Amino acid sequence: MNFLRPFQRESGAALVIGLMFLAVLAMLGATAAVLTTTDIQIGANYKASAEALQDAEAGVNYAIGQMEAGLKNGSFSLPTTTGGTTSLSFAAPTGFSFSYSPAIITMIGENQYSFTSVGSGSNNSTATIAATVKKQPAIMFGVFGDKKLDLGNTAAVYSYSHSNNPNPGPGDSTGEGDVGSNESVILRNNSIVDGDVALGEDAFGNDGTLTDQGGIVSGTNGEDIDRVDPDPLGVVGGEYASKFATYSVTNDNSDATLVFSNTGNSIDASNDIDLGSSDDLTLKGKAGGSNYYIRDVSVGNKAALYLDTTNGPVYIYLTGEFNAVTGSEVVNTTGCGAGACNCCVWTPSLDCSACAIGAPSDFAIFANSQSGTDIISIGNSVAFSGFIYAPYLTVRMDNSADIYGAIMGCEVEIVNSVEVYFDTDMVEQYTTNNLILTTWRDVRN
C-alpha cells in the first residue's frame, strides 16, 4: 500500500491559490480605483483651475474694454501721477466670475498702468492675473498720409532722439524713420526711408499700394499692416474736437507779440495771422502749454513766425489753412532770455544769437478743416521743428526744407531734397484712448 506523507497531500491547494489570486485582483482593483479617483480629482481640479484662469483672462479683457469706453465718453480717467490710483468698479457680466483685487488701477510709470484680475472656478479654485496696459501712441510713423504719401526725388526720412542729439544729420539716424499710408505710397527716384514702408487698408478693407520708382528703404518695403486710424486724436468727433471747442472761447491769442510790422496786424479779430514782407510775430509758450486758436496762417516772403518755447510748449489749433511761402520762416525757438531775444531776423537791431531750435515736442499744429481745399504748405528752405497733425488736409513740404518732428495728413507731399527727421521722443507724448495690453502674469495661488 502506497501512503503519501502529509506534506505531499495536495487536497485544498486550489482553494489557497484561488484566494491568493482573488487577493491580488482585489489589490489591483483597489489600486485602479484609487488611480481612477485620483485622475478624476486631478482632472476636476485642472478643469476648475482652467475655468478660473479663463475667467481671470476675461476680467482683464473686460476691464480694458470698459476703460477704453470710459476714456472715450469721459466717464473714466486713468491716474496721472506715478503711484496714483483709479477705482475699477466694473462688475462681471452674466456667465463670468471675476473681480478686481484690489479694485484699482495704478500708474507705475510714464504711460504704464497695472491692475489685477481674479477669476473663480468650481471647487473654490481661483486664478490671479497681474496685467499692465498702456495708451496706444498716436504717432507711429515719421510721415503718414491716409490717402497718399508721395516722397519726391532725393527726399529722405530719417529718425533721431532730440533729447540725445538735438542737431542730427543723416549719419545719426536710428533706423526708425517709418512711413506709411492706408491707400498709396509713392517712392520716387533716390528717395530714402531709413525705416519701414507700411501699407494699411482703406475704409473698405482694400490693401494700400506701393509705387516704387527707385526708392532706398533700409527696412521692410511694403509691409502689410491693418488699417491705421487716420484721426487717432479725434480732431473731428473725438478728444481733440472738445479742445477746439474750448479754445475757440478761451485761448492765449492775446499773448502773441508783434515784434516788427509793416501792416500792424498781430492776430486779427477773425483769428487770422497774415504776415506780410518783413513782418515778425512771436507766439510765446508757457508752462503747461499756450493754446492759440487760429483760422488761417499766412507767412509771406521775408516774414517770420516764431514759436518761443523757452517757457513751455506752443500749440496752434488751426481751423483753416497754413501757408509759409518760400523765403519765410516758421521757427520753433528756445533759450531766449528776458530782453535778450525777441526772435526777429529781419530787424538787425534785435539780437537772436542766444536762441536755439526748440524741441519738436514743444510745438504742434492741430488742424481740423474738412473743406477739401485747405492745405498746410511749408515753402523752400524753411526749417520746421514740430508736429503737424492734419488728418483731413493736404500737407506739402517744398524743396530743401528741413523738418524735425512728425507729420500726419490726408495727403502728404514731400518734394525733392526735403529731409524729415522723425523725433522718436514724441511717440509717448501723444496717445489715444485705446489701450494696449503690454504684459500679463499668472500669479499662482
Side-chain angles (χ1 to χ4, degrees), residues 8-351:
Q8 290 181 318
R9 295 174 183 167
E10 296 180 358
S11 60
L15 178 60
V16 173
I17 293 172
L19 291 173
M20 292 175 63
F21 184 68
L22 288 174
V24 171
L25 288 177
M27 291 176 62
L28 292 174
T31 301
V34 170
L35 291 175
T36 300
T37 301
T38 301
D39 286 344
I40 292 173
Q41 291 176 339
I42 291 173
N45 290 338
Y46 177 80
K47 180 180 179 181
S49 177
E51 289 174 350
L53 183 61
Q54 289 172 356
D55 266 321
E57 288 184 281
V60 170
N61 294 326
Y62 187 72
I64 292 174
Q66 291 298 300
M67 287 189 288
E68 282 186 346
L71 288 169
K72 292 173 182 178
N73 65 29
S75 63
F76 179 82
S77 59
L78 290 166
T80 57
T81 58
T82 301
T85 62
T86 297
S87 174
L88 294 182
S89 56
F90 312 132
T94 303
F96 294 90
S97 181
F98 57 76
S99 61
Y100 304 104
S101 181
I104 57 173
I105 183 167
T106 304
M107 184 175 182
I108 57 176
E110 182 181 0
N111 195 23
Q112 289 290 329
Y113 310 88
S114 68
F115 68 96
T116 301
S117 173
V118 180
S120 300
S122 55
N123 298 331
N124 296 319
S125 62
T126 61
T128 302
I129 293 177
T132 60
V133 296
K134 65 183 292 186
K135 297 180 76 172
Q136 183 179 28
I139 303 175
M140 296 185 291
F141 302 91
V143 184
F144 180 81
D146 175 31
K147 296 186 180 299
K148 183 178 73 172
L149 168 60
D150 189 340
L151 197 60
N153 297 337
T154 69
V157 181
Y158 303 109
S159 61
Y160 79 115
S161 166
H162 184 274
S163 59
N164 295 331
N165 181 12
N167 299 299
D172 301 315
S173 184
T174 60
E176 302 166 273
D178 301 340
V179 304
S181 173
N182 280 324
E183 297 190 22
S184 173
V185 174
I186 302 171
L187 302 179
R188 301 192 184 276
N189 187 42
N190 290 324
S191 59
I192 297 173
V193 177
D194 189 27
D196 298 331
V197 176
L199 301 173
E201 300 174 349
D202 66 16
F204 304 100
N206 301 308
D207 290 335
T209 61
L210 171 65
T211 303
D212 188 349
Q213 300 175 353
I216 302 168
V217 179
S218 68
T220 303
N221 194 9
E223 180 182 7
D224 185 17
I225 62 173
D226 293 334
R227 176 172 171 78
V228 177
D229 184 350
D231 185 13
L233 294 178
V235 293
V236 174
E239 179 185 0
Y240 273 60
S242 63
K243 293 179 183 284
F244 273 86
T246 297
Y247 301 136
S248 68
V249 178
T250 304
N251 53 58
D252 297 301
N253 286 15
S254 61
D255 292 342
T257 303
L258 193 63
V259 180
F260 180 83
S261 176
N262 290 319
T263 63
N265 290 328
S266 179
I267 300 176
D268 65 22
S270 298
N271 295 319
D272 289 340
I273 294 176
D274 187 4
L275 302 180
S277 179
S278 300
D279 288 351
D280 295 334
L281 179 68
T282 299
L283 305 183
K284 291 185 177 293
K286 63 183 178 182
S290 291
N291 301 295
Y292 294 89
Y293 183 80
I294 308 296
R295 186 179 66 172
D296 291 317
V297 177
S298 176
V299 187
N301 182 41
K302 291 191 175 182
L305 175 63
Y306 287 99
L307 305 313
D308 185 353
T309 59
T310 303
N311 297 318
V314 172
Y315 304 120
I316 292 178
Y317 290 82
L318 182 71
T319 63
E321 66 178 23
F322 189 110
N323 185 27
V325 305
T326 299
S328 66
E329 291 196 73
V330 179
V331 182
N332 171 0
T333 184
T334 186
C336 306
C341 174
N342 282 315
C343 305
C344 174
V345 297
W346 305 118
T347 53
S349 60
L350 294 176
D351 179 14

